[in-house]
Amino acid sequence: MSRVDFERLRQLWASRSDAGEPEWHELYALVERVLRRAKIRDGLDRGDLIQGYFLDRVLAGRGQAIPDNEAALLGWFGKYQLDQVAKQRTVAVTWDDGFCAQVGLSTEAAAIDDVLFRDHRAARVADFFKALTDDEKLLLQISHCDGESVLSVQEQHQIRSAHYRSKQLGILLSKSAIPADWAKSKIGRLVDELGVKVERAASADLLQVLRLLCERALEWWEAR
């Protein structure tokens, strides 16, 4: 990266508290250019790491430090990788492993058509889905319902900040996430609105809501 480009990265980083969407996209592109050269530890995915780092340490970061040069940024990224490795080693069977594994397979897990309130939930799910952006609909259908990786969807459909959007939507969570974290996502709030309790093990009611989402997403996808 040229000195001019890195100085632009520093400027955007320093003013990120006042940044709009164009500035965030530009900053992500510059950070990604540097981090794509980083050495990645075994078992970690470069794309997910870069997006996770940007979300956790740049977008949500509260520190005032700004990288002086590429080596400094790469060093910070290296420490972030160590944090992720440590999390994986300390997590046994978490809510993410137990619950979200079922969420990802919700369209295949069970054909739950006999649970009460299906029609009411279907109407609310349709309204919820309609209010999503096209990028969120793509992520929901292709990543969540069809099981493709968020990175793959991002590359195929040119979706910016797909990792961040997936977390906001509620189809991607970190290893350390707990039910309360997911409840703050868009889908989590929908589920709460419908009066469905979020527990460690996915209930039949919860699976039904997720299945309805995938049914609606598939209808939208096929009608495109």
Short mmCIF file of all heavy atoms in Angstrom, two decimals, residues 105-168:
data_model
loop_
_atom_site.label_atom_id
_atom_site.label_comp_id
_atom_site.label_asym_id
_atom_site.label_seq_id
_atom_site.Cartn_x
_atom_site.Cartn_y
_atom_site.Cartn_z
N LEU A 105 -29.91 -25.53 10.37
CA LEU A 105 -30.57 -26.66 9.72
C LEU A 105 -32.08 -26.61 9.90
O LEU A 105 -32.77 -27.60 9.71
CB LEU A 105 -30.03 -27.98 10.31
CG LEU A 105 -28.54 -28.24 10.11
CD1 LEU A 105 -28.13 -29.50 10.87
CD2 LEU A 105 -28.21 -28.40 8.63
N SER A 106 -32.58 -25.43 10.24
CA SER A 106 -33.99 -25.34 10.62
C SER A 106 -34.95 -25.78 9.53
O SER A 106 -36.00 -26.31 9.80
CB SER A 106 -34.32 -23.91 11.05
OG SER A 106 -34.08 -23.01 9.99
N THR A 107 -34.60 -25.57 8.27
CA THR A 107 -35.52 -25.94 7.20
C THR A 107 -35.55 -27.45 7.00
O THR A 107 -36.46 -27.98 6.38
CB THR A 107 -35.12 -25.27 5.87
OG1 THR A 107 -33.78 -25.62 5.57
CG2 THR A 107 -35.27 -23.77 5.97
N GLU A 108 -34.52 -28.15 7.53
CA GLU A 108 -34.47 -29.60 7.37
C GLU A 108 -34.72 -30.32 8.69
O GLU A 108 -34.98 -31.52 8.71
CB GLU A 108 -33.09 -30.01 6.84
CG GLU A 108 -32.76 -29.41 5.49
CD GLU A 108 -31.34 -29.74 5.07
OE1 GLU A 108 -30.66 -30.46 5.82
OE2 GLU A 108 -30.93 -29.28 4.01
N ALA A 109 -34.63 -29.60 9.79
CA ALA A 109 -34.68 -30.23 11.10
C ALA A 109 -36.02 -30.90 11.36
O ALA A 109 -36.08 -31.99 11.91
CB ALA A 109 -34.40 -29.20 12.19
N ALA A 110 -37.11 -30.24 10.99
CA ALA A 110 -38.44 -30.81 11.24
C ALA A 110 -39.48 -30.07 10.44
O ALA A 110 -39.37 -28.87 10.23
CB ALA A 110 -38.77 -30.73 12.72
N ALA A 111 -40.46 -30.80 9.99
CA ALA A 111 -41.57 -30.15 9.27
C ALA A 111 -42.64 -29.83 10.31
O ALA A 111 -43.52 -30.63 10.60
CB ALA A 111 -42.13 -31.09 8.21
N ILE A 112 -42.53 -28.65 10.88
CA ILE A 112 -43.41 -28.29 12.00
C ILE A 112 -44.59 -27.47 11.47
O ILE A 112 -44.52 -26.26 11.37
CB ILE A 112 -42.64 -27.49 13.06
CG1 ILE A 112 -41.41 -28.30 13.48
CG2 ILE A 112 -43.50 -27.20 14.27
CD1 ILE A 112 -40.46 -27.50 14.32
N ASP A 113 -45.63 -28.16 11.09
CA ASP A 113 -46.80 -27.48 10.53
C ASP A 113 -48.00 -27.53 11.48
O ASP A 113 -49.03 -26.94 11.20
CB ASP A 113 -47.21 -28.12 9.20
CG ASP A 113 -46.16 -27.88 8.12
OD1 ASP A 113 -45.66 -26.75 8.03
OD2 ASP A 113 -45.86 -28.82 7.41
N ASP A 114 -47.84 -28.25 12.58
CA ASP A 114 -48.99 -28.43 13.45
C ASP A 114 -48.89 -27.63 14.74
O ASP A 114 -49.68 -27.83 15.66
CB ASP A 114 -49.16 -29.92 13.79
CG ASP A 114 -47.91 -30.50 14.42
OD1 ASP A 114 -46.86 -29.83 14.35
OD2 ASP A 114 -47.99 -31.61 14.97
N VAL A 115 -47.89 -26.74 14.85
CA VAL A 115 -47.76 -25.91 16.04
C VAL A 115 -48.75 -24.76 15.95
O VAL A 115 -49.02 -24.24 14.87
CB VAL A 115 -46.32 -25.37 16.17
CG1 VAL A 115 -46.16 -24.55 17.44
CG2 VAL A 115 -45.34 -26.52 16.16
N LEU A 116 -49.30 -24.37 17.09
CA LEU A 116 -50.27 -23.28 17.11
C LEU A 116 -49.66 -21.97 16.59
O LEU A 116 -48.46 -21.77 16.64
CB LEU A 116 -50.77 -23.06 18.54
CG LEU A 116 -51.60 -24.19 19.16
CD1 LEU A 116 -51.91 -23.85 20.61
CD2 LEU A 116 -52.88 -24.40 18.37
N PHE A 117 -50.53 -21.10 16.09
CA PHE A 117 -50.18 -19.75 15.69
C PHE A 117 -49.39 -19.66 14.38
O PHE A 117 -48.84 -18.61 14.06
CB PHE A 117 -49.39 -19.02 16.79
CG PHE A 117 -49.99 -19.16 18.15
CD1 PHE A 117 -49.24 -19.65 19.20
CD2 PHE A 117 -51.31 -18.81 18.38
CE1 PHE A 117 -49.80 -19.79 20.47
CE2 PHE A 117 -51.87 -18.94 19.65
CZ PHE A 117 -51.11 -19.44 20.69
N ARG A 118 -49.34 -20.74 13.59
CA ARG A 118 -48.56 -20.68 12.36
C ARG A 118 -49.03 -19.54 11.45
O ARG A 118 -48.21 -18.80 10.92
CB ARG A 118 -48.63 -22.01 11.61
CG ARG A 118 -47.89 -21.97 10.28
CD ARG A 118 -48.03 -23.26 9.49
NE ARG A 118 -47.53 -23.06 8.13
CZ ARG A 118 -46.26 -23.20 7.78
NH1 ARG A 118 -45.35 -23.53 8.67
NH2 ARG A 118 -45.89 -22.99 6.53
N ASP A 119 -50.34 -19.41 11.25
CA ASP A 119 -50.84 -18.38 10.33
C ASP A 119 -50.50 -16.98 10.81
O ASP A 119 -50.10 -16.12 10.03
CB ASP A 119 -52.36 -18.52 10.17
CG ASP A 119 -52.75 -19.77 9.39
OD1 ASP A 119 -51.86 -20.33 8.72
OD2 ASP A 119 -53.92 -20.17 9.45
N HIS A 120 -50.68 -16.75 12.11
CA HIS A 120 -50.34 -15.44 12.68
C HIS A 120 -48.85 -15.16 12.51
O HIS A 120 -48.45 -14.05 12.11
CB HIS A 120 -50.70 -15.40 14.16
CG HIS A 120 -50.09 -14.26 14.90
ND1 HIS A 120 -50.46 -12.95 14.69
CD2 HIS A 120 -49.10 -14.24 15.84
CE1 HIS A 120 -49.73 -12.16 15.47
NE2 HIS A 120 -48.90 -12.92 16.17
N ARG A 121 -48.03 -16.16 12.80
CA ARG A 121 -46.58 -15.98 12.66
C ARG A 121 -46.18 -15.78 11.21
O ARG A 121 -45.29 -14.97 10.91
CB ARG A 121 -45.85 -17.19 13.25
CG ARG A 121 -45.94 -17.25 14.77
CD ARG A 121 -45.40 -18.55 15.30
NE ARG A 121 -45.50 -18.60 16.76
CZ ARG A 121 -45.40 -19.71 17.47
NH1 ARG A 121 -45.21 -20.86 16.86
NH2 ARG A 121 -45.49 -19.66 18.79
N ALA A 122 -46.82 -16.50 10.31
CA ALA A 122 -46.48 -16.38 8.89
C ALA A 122 -46.72 -14.96 8.39
O ALA A 122 -45.93 -14.41 7.62
CB ALA A 122 -47.29 -17.37 8.07
N ALA A 123 -47.80 -14.34 8.84
CA ALA A 123 -48.11 -12.98 8.42
C ALA A 123 -47.08 -12.00 8.96
O ALA A 123 -46.62 -11.10 8.24
CB ALA A 123 -49.50 -12.59 8.91
N ARG A 124 -46.69 -12.16 10.22
CA ARG A 124 -45.70 -11.26 10.81
C ARG A 124 -44.33 -11.48 10.19
O ARG A 124 -43.58 -10.52 9.95
CB ARG A 124 -45.63 -11.49 12.33
CG ARG A 124 -44.60 -10.61 13.04
CD ARG A 124 -44.96 -9.14 12.93
NE ARG A 124 -43.88 -8.28 13.39
CZ ARG A 124 -42.96 -7.74 12.60
NH1 ARG A 124 -43.00 -7.96 11.29
NH2 ARG A 124 -42.02 -6.97 13.09
N VAL A 125 -43.98 -12.73 9.90
CA VAL A 125 -42.70 -13.03 9.25
C VAL A 125 -42.65 -12.40 7.86
O VAL A 125 -41.63 -11.86 7.45
CB VAL A 125 -42.49 -14.56 9.17
CG1 VAL A 125 -41.39 -14.90 8.16
CG2 VAL A 125 -42.15 -15.12 10.55
N ALA A 126 -43.76 -12.46 7.14
CA ALA A 126 -43.81 -11.86 5.80
C ALA A 126 -43.58 -10.35 5.87
O ALA A 126 -42.85 -9.79 5.05
CB ALA A 126 -45.17 -12.15 5.16
N ASP A 127 -44.18 -9.69 6.86
CA ASP A 127 -43.97 -8.25 7.03
C ASP A 127 -42.51 -7.95 7.39
O ASP A 127 -41.91 -7.00 6.89
CB ASP A 127 -44.87 -7.71 8.14
CG ASP A 127 -46.34 -7.67 7.73
OD1 ASP A 127 -46.61 -7.70 6.51
OD2 ASP A 127 -47.21 -7.63 8.63
N PHE A 128 -41.95 -8.78 8.27
CA PHE A 128 -40.56 -8.62 8.68
C PHE A 128 -39.63 -8.77 7.47
O PHE A 128 -38.73 -7.94 7.25
CB PHE A 128 -40.21 -9.67 9.74
CG PHE A 128 -38.74 -9.77 10.07
CD1 PHE A 128 -38.16 -8.91 10.99
CD2 PHE A 128 -37.95 -10.72 9.44
CE1 PHE A 128 -36.80 -9.00 11.29
CE2 PHE A 128 -36.60 -10.83 9.73
CZ PHE A 128 -36.03 -9.97 10.66
N PHE A 129 -39.87 -9.81 6.68
CA PHE A 129 -39.01 -10.08 5.52
C PHE A 129 -39.10 -8.95 4.50
O PHE A 129 -38.10 -8.53 3.92
CB PHE A 129 -39.39 -11.41 4.88
CG PHE A 129 -38.47 -11.83 3.78
CD1 PHE A 129 -37.28 -12.48 4.06
CD2 PHE A 129 -38.78 -11.56 2.45
CE1 PHE A 129 -36.41 -12.86 3.04
CE2 PHE A 129 -37.93 -11.93 1.43
CZ PHE A 129 -36.73 -12.58 1.72
N LYS A 130 -40.29 -8.45 4.29
CA LYS A 130 -40.50 -7.37 3.32
C LYS A 130 -39.69 -6.14 3.69
O LYS A 130 -39.23 -5.40 2.80
CB LYS A 130 -41.99 -7.03 3.24
CG LYS A 130 -42.34 -5.99 2.19
CD LYS A 130 -43.85 -5.75 2.14
CE LYS A 130 -44.20 -4.71 1.09
NZ LYS A 130 -45.68 -4.46 1.05
N ALA A 131 -39.51 -5.89 4.98
CA ALA A 131 -38.80 -4.70 5.44
C ALA A 131 -37.29 -4.83 5.35
O ALA A 131 -36.57 -3.84 5.52
CB ALA A 131 -39.21 -4.39 6.89
N LEU A 132 -36.78 -6.03 5.09
CA LEU A 132 -35.33 -6.22 4.98
C LEU A 132 -34.81 -5.63 3.67
O LEU A 132 -35.53 -5.53 2.69
CB LEU A 132 -34.98 -7.71 5.02
CG LEU A 132 -35.31 -8.49 6.30
CD1 LEU A 132 -34.95 -9.95 6.13
CD2 LEU A 132 -34.59 -7.89 7.51
N THR A 133 -33.53 -5.28 3.66
CA THR A 133 -32.90 -4.83 2.42
C THR A 133 -32.66 -6.05 1.52
O THR A 133 -32.67 -7.19 1.99
CB THR A 133 -31.56 -4.14 2.70
OG1 THR A 133 -30.64 -5.13 3.22
CG2 THR A 133 -31.72 -3.00 3.70
N ASP A 134 -32.40 -5.81 0.24
CA ASP A 134 -32.13 -6.93 -0.66
C ASP A 134 -30.88 -7.70 -0.22
O ASP A 134 -30.83 -8.93 -0.35
CB ASP A 134 -31.94 -6.42 -2.09
CG ASP A 134 -33.27 -6.08 -2.76
OD1 ASP A 134 -34.33 -6.39 -2.17
OD2 ASP A 134 -33.25 -5.51 -3.86
N ASP A 135 -29.88 -6.99 0.28
CA ASP A 135 -28.67 -7.67 0.75
C ASP A 135 -28.98 -8.58 1.93
O ASP A 135 -28.47 -9.71 2.02
CB ASP A 135 -27.60 -6.64 1.15
CG ASP A 135 -26.92 -6.01 -0.04
OD1 ASP A 135 -27.14 -6.50 -1.17
OD2 ASP A 135 -26.18 -5.03 0.15
N GLU A 136 -29.81 -8.12 2.84
CA GLU A 136 -30.19 -8.94 3.99
C GLU A 136 -31.01 -10.15 3.54
O GLU A 136 -30.85 -11.25 4.08
CB GLU A 136 -30.98 -8.10 4.99
CG GLU A 136 -30.15 -7.08 5.74
CD GLU A 136 -30.98 -6.15 6.61
OE1 GLU A 136 -32.14 -5.85 6.23
OE2 GLU A 136 -30.48 -5.72 7.65
N LYS A 137 -31.86 -9.95 2.56
CA LYS A 137 -32.65 -11.08 2.04
C LYS A 137 -31.74 -12.12 1.40
O LYS A 137 -31.94 -13.33 1.57
CB LYS A 137 -33.68 -10.56 1.02
CG LYS A 137 -34.79 -9.73 1.65
CD LYS A 137 -35.70 -9.11 0.58
CE LYS A 137 -36.79 -8.26 1.21
NZ LYS A 137 -37.64 -7.58 0.21
N LEU A 138 -30.73 -11.65 0.66
CA LEU A 138 -29.77 -12.57 0.05
C LEU A 138 -29.02 -13.36 1.11
O LEU A 138 -28.85 -14.58 1.00
CB LEU A 138 -28.79 -11.80 -0.82
CG LEU A 138 -29.27 -11.37 -2.20
CD1 LEU A 138 -28.29 -10.38 -2.82
CD2 LEU A 138 -29.42 -12.59 -3.12
N LEU A 139 -28.55 -12.67 2.14
CA LEU A 139 -27.81 -13.33 3.21
C LEU A 139 -28.69 -14.35 3.92
O LEU A 139 -28.25 -15.46 4.25
CB LEU A 139 -27.29 -12.30 4.20
CG LEU A 139 -26.11 -11.46 3.71
CD1 LEU A 139 -25.90 -10.24 4.61
CD2 LEU A 139 -24.84 -12.31 3.68
N LEU A 140 -29.94 -14.00 4.17
CA LEU A 140 -30.86 -14.90 4.84
C LEU A 140 -31.09 -16.15 4.01
O LEU A 140 -30.99 -17.28 4.51
CB LEU A 140 -32.18 -14.19 5.13
CG LEU A 140 -33.26 -15.02 5.84
CD1 LEU A 140 -32.78 -15.47 7.21
CD2 LEU A 140 -34.55 -14.21 5.97
N GLN A 141 -31.40 -15.97 2.72
CA GLN A 141 -31.72 -17.10 1.87
C GLN A 141 -30.50 -17.97 1.57
O GLN A 141 -30.53 -19.19 1.75
CB GLN A 141 -32.33 -16.61 0.54
CG GLN A 141 -32.44 -17.68 -0.53
CD GLN A 141 -33.27 -18.89 -0.12
OE1 GLN A 141 -34.18 -18.77 0.69
NE2 GLN A 141 -32.97 -20.05 -0.68
N ILE A 142 -29.42 -17.35 1.11
CA ILE A 142 -28.29 -18.14 0.63
C ILE A 142 -27.38 -18.62 1.76
O ILE A 142 -26.93 -19.77 1.76
CB ILE A 142 -27.47 -17.35 -0.41
CG1 ILE A 142 -28.38 -16.86 -1.54
CG2 ILE A 142 -26.35 -18.21 -0.99
CD1 ILE A 142 -27.70 -15.98 -2.55
N SER A 143 -27.11 -17.75 2.73
CA SER A 143 -26.21 -18.15 3.81
C SER A 143 -26.94 -18.95 4.89
O SER A 143 -26.54 -20.06 5.23
CB SER A 143 -25.55 -16.92 4.42
OG SER A 143 -24.66 -17.29 5.45
N HIS A 144 -28.02 -18.39 5.41
CA HIS A 144 -28.71 -19.08 6.50
C HIS A 144 -29.50 -20.30 6.02
O HIS A 144 -29.32 -21.40 6.51
CB HIS A 144 -29.67 -18.12 7.21
CG HIS A 144 -30.57 -18.79 8.18
ND1 HIS A 144 -30.11 -19.39 9.33
CD2 HIS A 144 -31.91 -19.01 8.16
CE1 HIS A 144 -31.13 -19.92 9.99
NE2 HIS A 144 -32.23 -19.71 9.29
N CYS A 145 -30.36 -20.10 5.03
CA CYS A 145 -31.26 -21.18 4.61
C CYS A 145 -30.58 -22.22 3.73
O CYS A 145 -30.84 -23.42 3.87
CB CYS A 145 -32.48 -20.59 3.90
SG CYS A 145 -33.43 -19.44 4.92
N ASP A 146 -29.70 -21.77 2.80
CA ASP A 146 -29.02 -22.72 1.91
C ASP A 146 -27.69 -23.20 2.46
O ASP A 146 -27.09 -24.12 1.92
CB ASP A 146 -28.80 -22.09 0.53
CG ASP A 146 -30.08 -22.04 -0.28
OD1 ASP A 146 -31.07 -22.66 0.15
OD2 ASP A 146 -30.11 -21.38 -1.34
N GLY A 147 -27.19 -22.53 3.49
CA GLY A 147 -25.99 -23.02 4.16
C GLY A 147 -24.66 -22.60 3.56
O GLY A 147 -23.62 -23.15 3.93
N GLU A 148 -24.65 -21.63 2.64
CA GLU A 148 -23.38 -21.15 2.12
C GLU A 148 -22.73 -20.19 3.11
O GLU A 148 -23.41 -19.56 3.92
CB GLU A 148 -23.58 -20.44 0.76
CG GLU A 148 -23.95 -21.39 -0.36
CD GLU A 148 -23.81 -20.72 -1.73
OE1 GLU A 148 -22.98 -19.81 -1.86
OE2 GLU A 148 -24.55 -21.11 -2.64
N SER A 149 -21.40 -20.06 3.03
CA SER A 149 -20.72 -19.17 3.96
C SER A 149 -21.03 -17.71 3.64
O SER A 149 -21.33 -17.35 2.50
CB SER A 149 -19.20 -19.37 3.87
OG SER A 149 -18.69 -18.87 2.65
N VAL A 150 -20.96 -16.88 4.67
CA VAL A 150 -21.20 -15.45 4.50
C VAL A 150 -20.19 -14.87 3.52
O VAL A 150 -20.53 -14.04 2.67
CB VAL A 150 -21.12 -14.72 5.86
CG1 VAL A 150 -21.10 -13.20 5.67
CG2 VAL A 150 -22.29 -15.12 6.74
N LEU A 151 -18.95 -15.32 3.61
CA LEU A 151 -17.90 -14.82 2.71
C LEU A 151 -18.22 -15.16 1.27
O LEU A 151 -18.04 -14.33 0.37
CB LEU A 151 -16.55 -15.42 3.10
CG LEU A 151 -15.35 -14.98 2.27
CD1 LEU A 151 -15.17 -13.47 2.36
CD2 LEU A 151 -14.10 -15.71 2.71
N SER A 152 -18.72 -16.35 1.02
CA SER A 152 -19.08 -16.76 -0.33
C SER A 152 -20.20 -15.88 -0.89
O SER A 152 -20.16 -15.45 -2.04
CB SER A 152 -19.52 -18.23 -0.34
OG SER A 152 -20.02 -18.60 -1.60
N VAL A 153 -21.21 -15.62 -0.06
CA VAL A 153 -22.33 -14.77 -0.50
C VAL A 153 -21.82 -13.35 -0.78
O VAL A 153 -22.23 -12.72 -1.76
CB VAL A 153 -23.44 -14.73 0.58
CG1 VAL A 153 -24.59 -13.85 0.12
CG2 VAL A 153 -23.95 -16.14 0.86
N GLN A 154 -20.94 -12.87 0.07
CA GLN A 154 -20.39 -11.53 -0.13
C GLN A 154 -19.67 -11.41 -1.47
O GLN A 154 -19.85 -10.44 -2.21
CB GLN A 154 -19.41 -11.20 1.00
CG GLN A 154 -18.67 -9.88 0.79
CD GLN A 154 -17.70 -9.59 1.91
OE1 GLN A 154 -18.08 -9.04 2.93
NE2 GLN A 154 -16.44 -9.97 1.74
N GLU A 155 -18.85 -12.41 -1.78
CA GLU A 155 -18.07 -12.37 -3.01
C GLU A 155 -18.95 -12.54 -4.25
O GLU A 155 -18.77 -11.85 -5.25
CB GLU A 155 -16.99 -13.45 -2.97
CG GLU A 155 -15.91 -13.17 -1.91
CD GLU A 155 -14.91 -14.30 -1.81
OE1 GLU A 155 -15.20 -15.41 -2.31
OE2 GLU A 155 -13.84 -14.07 -1.21
N GLN A 156 -19.90 -13.45 -4.18
CA GLN A 156 -20.74 -13.73 -5.34
C GLN A 156 -21.70 -12.59 -5.66
O GLN A 156 -22.00 -12.32 -6.83
CB GLN A 156 -21.54 -15.01 -5.11
CG GLN A 156 -20.73 -16.28 -5.11
CD GLN A 156 -21.59 -17.50 -4.85
OE1 GLN A 156 -22.74 -17.59 -5.29
NE2 GLN A 156 -21.06 -18.45 -4.11
N HIS A 157 -22.18 -11.91 -4.62
CA HIS A 157 -23.22 -10.90 -4.83
C HIS A 157 -22.76 -9.48 -4.48
O HIS A 157 -23.58 -8.56 -4.43
CB HIS A 157 -24.45 -11.27 -4.01
CG HIS A 157 -25.07 -12.57 -4.43
ND1 HIS A 157 -25.94 -12.67 -5.50
CD2 HIS A 157 -24.90 -13.82 -3.94
CE1 HIS A 157 -26.30 -13.94 -5.63
NE2 HIS A 157 -25.69 -14.66 -4.70
N GLN A 158 -21.43 -9.32 -4.27
CA GLN A 158 -20.87 -7.99 -4.02
C GLN A 158 -21.56 -7.27 -2.89
O GLN A 158 -21.96 -6.11 -3.00
CB GLN A 158 -20.93 -7.15 -5.31
CG GLN A 158 -20.19 -7.75 -6.49
CD GLN A 158 -18.70 -7.92 -6.22
OE1 GLN A 158 -18.03 -6.96 -5.91
NE2 GLN A 158 -18.21 -9.15 -6.33
N ILE A 159 -21.74 -7.96 -1.78
CA ILE A 159 -22.37 -7.37 -0.60
C ILE A 159 -21.30 -6.79 0.31
O ILE A 159 -20.38 -7.50 0.72
CB ILE A 159 -23.19 -8.42 0.17
CG1 ILE A 159 -24.33 -8.95 -0.69
CG2 ILE A 159 -23.75 -7.83 1.46
CD1 ILE A 159 -25.14 -10.05 -0.05
N ARG A 160 -21.41 -5.53 0.62
CA ARG A 160 -20.43 -4.89 1.50
C ARG A 160 -20.76 -5.16 2.96
O ARG A 160 -21.92 -5.23 3.34
CB ARG A 160 -20.42 -3.38 1.25
CG ARG A 160 -19.87 -2.99 -0.13
CD ARG A 160 -19.83 -1.48 -0.28
NE ARG A 160 -19.17 -1.08 -1.52
CZ ARG A 160 -18.99 0.18 -1.90
NH1 ARG A 160 -19.42 1.16 -1.12
NH2 ARG A 160 -18.36 0.46 -3.02
N SER A 161 -19.70 -5.33 3.75
CA SER A 161 -19.85 -5.53 5.20
C SER A 161 -20.80 -6.69 5.51
O SER A 161 -21.62 -6.62 6.42
CB SER A 161 -20.37 -4.25 5.87
OG SER A 161 -19.56 -3.14 5.55
N ALA A 162 -20.68 -7.79 4.75
CA ALA A 162 -21.60 -8.92 4.93
C ALA A 162 -21.50 -9.53 6.31
O ALA A 162 -22.50 -9.95 6.89
CB ALA A 162 -21.33 -9.98 3.86
N HIS A 163 -20.29 -9.60 6.86
CA HIS A 163 -20.09 -10.18 8.18
C HIS A 163 -20.86 -9.36 9.23
O HIS A 163 -21.58 -9.91 10.07
CB HIS A 163 -18.60 -10.20 8.51
CG HIS A 163 -18.24 -10.95 9.75
ND1 HIS A 163 -18.31 -10.40 11.01
CD2 HIS A 163 -17.81 -12.23 9.92
CE1 HIS A 163 -17.93 -11.30 11.90
NE2 HIS A 163 -17.62 -12.40 11.28
N TYR A 164 -20.71 -8.04 9.16
CA TYR A 164 -21.39 -7.15 10.10
C TYR A 164 -22.91 -7.24 9.93
O TYR A 164 -23.66 -7.35 10.90
CB TYR A 164 -20.93 -5.72 9.87
CG TYR A 164 -21.72 -4.68 10.65
CD1 TYR A 164 -21.59 -4.59 12.03
CD2 TYR A 164 -22.59 -3.81 10.00
CE1 TYR A 164 -22.31 -3.66 12.76
CE2 TYR A 164 -23.31 -2.87 10.72
CZ TYR A 164 -23.17 -2.80 12.10
OH TYR A 164 -23.89 -1.88 12.81
N ARG A 165 -23.38 -7.23 8.68
CA ARG A 165 -24.81 -7.29 8.43
C ARG A 165 -25.40 -8.62 8.91
O ARG A 165 -26.54 -8.67 9.40
CB ARG A 165 -25.09 -7.09 6.94
CG ARG A 165 -24.74 -5.70 6.44
CD ARG A 165 -25.15 -5.49 5.01
NE ARG A 165 -24.72 -4.20 4.50
CZ ARG A 165 -25.10 -3.68 3.35
NH1 ARG A 165 -25.95 -4.34 2.58
NH2 ARG A 165 -24.66 -2.50 2.96
N SER A 166 -24.64 -9.70 8.75
CA SER A 166 -25.12 -11.00 9.20
C SER A 166 -25.28 -11.05 10.71
O SER A 166 -26.22 -11.66 11.22
CB SER A 166 -24.15 -12.10 8.73
OG SER A 166 -24.13 -12.17 7.32
N LYS A 167 -24.36 -10.41 11.42
CA LYS A 167 -24.48 -10.37 12.88
C LYS A 167 -25.67 -9.52 13.29
O LYS A 167 -26.40 -9.87 14.22
CB LYS A 167 -23.19 -9.81 13.49
CG LYS A 167 -22.05 -10.81 13.52
CD LYS A 167 -20.92 -10.33 14.41
CE LYS A 167 -19.89 -11.42 14.59
NZ LYS A 167 -18.81 -11.03 15.53
N GLN A 168 -25.85 -8.39 12.61
CA GLN A 168 -26.99 -7.54 12.92
C GLN A 168 -28.31 -8.26 12.63
O GLN A 168 -29.29 -8.11 13.36
CB GLN A 168 -26.92 -6.25 12.09
CG GLN A 168 -25.77 -5.32 12.45
CD GLN A 168 -25.92 -4.74 13.84
OE1 GLN A 168 -25.34 -5.24 14.79
NE2 GLN A 168 -26.69 -3.69 13.96
#
